[in-house]
Amino acid sequence: FFLPHGARIYNKLMEFIRAEYRDRGYDEVVSPNVFNFELWEQSGHALHYRDDMFLFECDNQEFGLKPMNCPGHCLMFGSTIHSYRDLPIRYADFGVLHRNEISG
């Protein structure tokens, strides 16, 4: 929780970080918090991170809260055609990550 004063400090820090990202050539994106688990299997992340993910079932399909941004960013990258001249493509994502890890 951030009370009003803490929220002001948080927002100032976010403004600073956004300006730094812009100066360094990053484009801000927003990705969903939940993905079908097939994405994690396709990306290879399921093999390494399944035990540390928050998973749930809906309509006989498995879904997971995102513990990292890269698979979603790969979907964004793959949604349009790119030339090598477009590279590097830099995404900044301030979405919340959810990891079911041991504390400490």
Side-chain angles (χ1 to χ4, degrees):
F1 294 98
F2 287 102
L3 296 176
H5 183 67
R8 285 191 291 277
I9 294 170
Y10 175 85
N11 288 329
K12 286 290 184 188
L13 288 170
M14 291 300 292
E15 288 172 23
F16 171 76
I17 294 168
R18 281 189 168 102
E20 290 295 315
Y21 274 141
R22 275 192 303 275
D23 291 347
R24 289 168 167 72
Y26 285 79
D27 291 315
E28 186 172 345
V29 296
V30 178
S31 57
N33 286 323
V34 176
F35 287 102
N36 190 303
F37 194 72
E38 290 176 4
L39 175 65
W40 305 108
E41 293 172 329
Q42 179 184 0
S43 70
H45 287 79
L47 291 173
H48 303 286
Y49 301 106
R50 181 185 181 92
D51 292 341
D52 296 324
M53 292 178 66
F54 290 103
L55 303 173
F56 62 94
E57 197 170 296
C58 181
D59 295 332
N60 296 319
Q61 295 184 41
E62 194 169 25
F63 291 86
L65 295 175
K66 71 174 180 179
M68 70 265 317
N69 291 317
C70 36
H73 290 184
C74 288
L75 288 178
M76 289 181 193
F77 178 83
S79 68
T80 58
I81 296 173
H82 299 282
S83 164
Y84 70 91
R85 292 183 202 104
D86 299 330
L87 301 175
I89 293 175
R90 296 181 172 108
Y91 293 140
D93 192 330
F94 294 102
V96 178
L97 302 177
H98 305 274
R99 295 184 180 151
N100 187 17
E101 298 174 328
I102 298 172
S103 65

